[in-house]
């Protein structure tokens, strides 16, 4: 794994303010391709450190959690998927809207076998098509039930729930659709379910974390999502800058190298003094890599500056390094360790 050595411009707020250590519903979203599922998994591991119990939930039907933990596809039940440092544990749940609706029918209407008959008839798909917001209410409603569930001793079943949410393009409509559903259903269990989810999502118990890469489009979408969430009254958590590259060059050399001003003779002489002889074509390759790296660093530094200057005040920010060789279970623990080093934790509640 690489580490970030690049100095970051400007003054940063605390990457994990105290309010986040008290939040119990951590929603993770980001533009597609930014690694939001990996970040959600690492966040769950970090929050579970020190003996906490955390539930990691997915709602998109992609079985992304099973993939990053390299395990069998998750059923619609909570099962332990990892042990965290200090004796904590992460459980995982893949929420299926149809199964959640059947559970809902049984909980509020005691339909039992009749509910399964509705499933065979296709009535559940019909219901969620007729009222598109119902599907999202079922998904967020199940997450809310996990957040607020208590055990026989009155303690919470989970110290925190981490939700791997849909991408930022539809994040606010996914989270805030409960308002529309509350208006649609004026009374009854659906109304109560929607109002309960709405209350949780707009409370300090919730924090929405946005994952981005340091390039223009993901940063723009992140800033737009942050503005939408703020306007909707949904609490923001941290921006998670994923796959931060290591800076190989000193700051004074980046601008020159990005402009193509790299002294090939100096590189060759430096290598020779270290006892390394390379062919001219290999030196040319090193020069090209240096220029490419410097251009990337300049672009990422500009993107960092946008994250610091465009929101007012600037958002809390966590940074995660680029991983060599892709994501596996070991690297998830390394990412979680990086988050913990930046202050990610939960206040004890159980």
């Amino acid at each position: 794994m690489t580490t970030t050595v690049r100095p970051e411009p400007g003054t940063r707020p605390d990457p994990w303010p105290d309010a986040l250590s008290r939040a119990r519903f951590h929603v993770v979203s980001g533009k597609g391709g930014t690694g939001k599922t990996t970040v959600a998994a690492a966040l769950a591991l970090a929050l579970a450190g020190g003996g906490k119990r955390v539930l990691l939930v997915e709602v998109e039907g992609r079985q992304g959690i099973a993939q990053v933990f390299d395990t069998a596809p998750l059923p619609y039940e909570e099962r332990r998927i990892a042990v965290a440092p200090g004796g904590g544990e992460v459980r995982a749940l893949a929420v299926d809207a149809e199964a959640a609706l059947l559970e809902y029918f049984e909980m509020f209407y005691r339909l039992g076998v009749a509910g399964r008959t509705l499933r065979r008839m296709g009535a559940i798909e019909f219901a969620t098509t007729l009222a598109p917001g119902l599907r999202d209410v079922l998904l967020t409603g199940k997450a809310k039930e996990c957040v607020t569930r208590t055990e026989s001793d009155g303690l919470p079943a989970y110290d925190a729930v981490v939700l791997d949410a849909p991408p930022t393009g539809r994040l606010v409509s996914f989270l805030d659709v409960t308002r529309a559903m509350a208006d649609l259903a004026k009374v009854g269990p659906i109304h109560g379910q929607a109002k309960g989810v709405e209350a949780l999502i707009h409370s300090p118990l919730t924090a929405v974390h946005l994952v981005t890469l340091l390039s223009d489009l993901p940063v723009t979408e992140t800033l737009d999502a942050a503005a939408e969430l703020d306007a909707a009254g949904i609490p923001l958590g941290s921006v998670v800058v994923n796959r931060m590259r290591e800076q190989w060059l000193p700051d004074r050399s980046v601008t020159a190298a990005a402009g193509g001003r790299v002294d090939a003779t100096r590189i060759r002489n430096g290598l020779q003094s270290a006892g390394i002889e390379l062919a001219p074509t290999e030196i040319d390759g090193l020069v090209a890599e240096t220029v490419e790296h410097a251009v990337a660093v300049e672009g990422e530094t500009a993107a960092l500056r946008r994250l610091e200057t465009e929101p007012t005040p600037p958002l809390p920010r966590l940074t995660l390094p680029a991983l060599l060789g892709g994501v596996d279970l070991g690297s998830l623990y390394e990412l979680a360790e990086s988050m913990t080093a930046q202050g990610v934790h939960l206040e004890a509640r159980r």
Side-chain angles (χ1 to χ4, degrees):
M1 173 180 289
T2 61
T3 56
T4 303
V5 297
R6 179 187 318 146
E8 297 181 9
T11 302
R12 292 179 55 183
D14 184 351
W16 193 259
D18 289 342
L20 296 185
S21 69
R22 295 188 290 270
R24 290 299 180 260
F25 187 34
H26 293 266
V27 179
V28 179
S29 182
K31 178 177 169 55
T34 58
K36 69 178 181 66
T37 298
T38 298
V39 170
L43 178 62
L45 281 170
L47 293 176
K52 307 297 194 304
R53 183 186 297 165
V54 174
L55 180 66
L56 178 58
V57 179
E58 69 173 16
V59 294
E60 295 182 274
R62 297 186 297 107
Q63 288 292 335
I65 292 174
Q67 292 174 36
V68 297
F69 280 97
D70 192 24
T71 189
L74 298 173
Y76 183 59
E77 65 180 43
E78 297 154 35
R79 58 172 53 178
R80 190 168 75 171
I81 200 169
V83 176
E89 68 173 19
V90 175
R91 296 185 182 182
L93 172 67
V95 182
D96 171 77
E98 190 173 78
L101 184 55
L102 287 175
E103 183 179 66
Y104 176 86
F105 282 157
E106 173 61 23
M107 183 181 301
F108 291 107
Y109 298 105
R110 299 291 189 267
L111 290 186
V113 174
R116 292 190 288 275
T117 301
L118 287 173
R119 181 177 189 170
R120 289 195 298 272
M121 293 171 58
I124 294 172
E125 185 65 29
F126 173 76
T128 54
T129 301
L130 184 66
L134 177 59
R135 179 178 294 272
D136 288 347
V137 168
L138 291 168
L139 299 175
T140 54
K142 179 60 181 178
K144 178 255 183 186
E145 184 273 324
C146 295
V147 172
T148 58
R149 185 193 309 159
T150 57
E151 298 179 328
S152 58
D153 58 5
L155 293 174
Y158 293 103
D159 294 286
V161 173
V162 177
L163 175 65
D164 180 16
T168 46
R170 82 174 202 92
L171 176 63
V172 174
S173 63
F174 171 76
L175 292 175
D176 224 25
V177 73
T178 49
R179 289 189 172 181
M181 282 301 301
D183 292 338
L184 179 63
K186 300 296 184 182
V187 296
I190 292 179
H191 174 82
Q193 176 88 331
K195 294 300 288 184
V197 173
E198 179 185 353
L200 171 65
I201 288 174
H202 290 82
S203 80
L205 290 177
T206 294
V208 181
H209 309 284
L210 300 174
V211 183
T212 187
L213 304 179
L214 290 181
S215 56
D216 282 342
L217 198 54
V219 167
T220 296
E221 193 160 318
T222 296
L223 293 171
D224 289 345
E228 283 188 72
L229 289 163
D230 186 58
I234 300 174
L236 279 161
S238 287
V239 170
V240 183
V241 176
N242 196 21
R243 302 176 199 157
M244 175 83 87
R245 84 176 63 234
E246 181 181 6
Q247 183 174 322
W248 301 338
L249 300 170
D251 288 345
R252 64 181 182 276
S253 302
V254 170
T255 300
R261 298 187 299 278
V262 179
D263 190 338
T265 300
R266 185 177 178 184
I267 291 176
R268 183 178 61 250
N269 292 340
L271 290 170
Q272 286 176 342
S273 66
I276 301 173
E277 289 286 347
L278 294 181
T281 54
E282 292 174 313
I283 295 293
D284 291 342
L286 283 176
V287 169
E289 284 188 24
T290 301
V291 171
E292 181 181 351
H293 174 73
V295 169
V297 167
E298 275 204 331
E300 291 186 353
T301 301
L304 275 173
R305 194 168 288 115
R306 285 187 65 193
L307 289 173
E308 290 180 338
T309 58
E310 294 191 24
T312 305
L315 299 170
R317 189 171 71 250
L318 297 164
T319 59
L320 295 176
L323 298 172
L324 296 177
V327 178
D328 57 20
L329 186 57
S331 58
L332 280 182
Y333 280 93
E334 291 184 62
L335 292 176
E337 184 179 353
S338 175
M339 287 183 168
T340 301
Q342 294 173 75
V344 173
H345 72 287
L346 287 175
E347 286 187 357
R349 192 174 67 146
R350 298 182 69 255

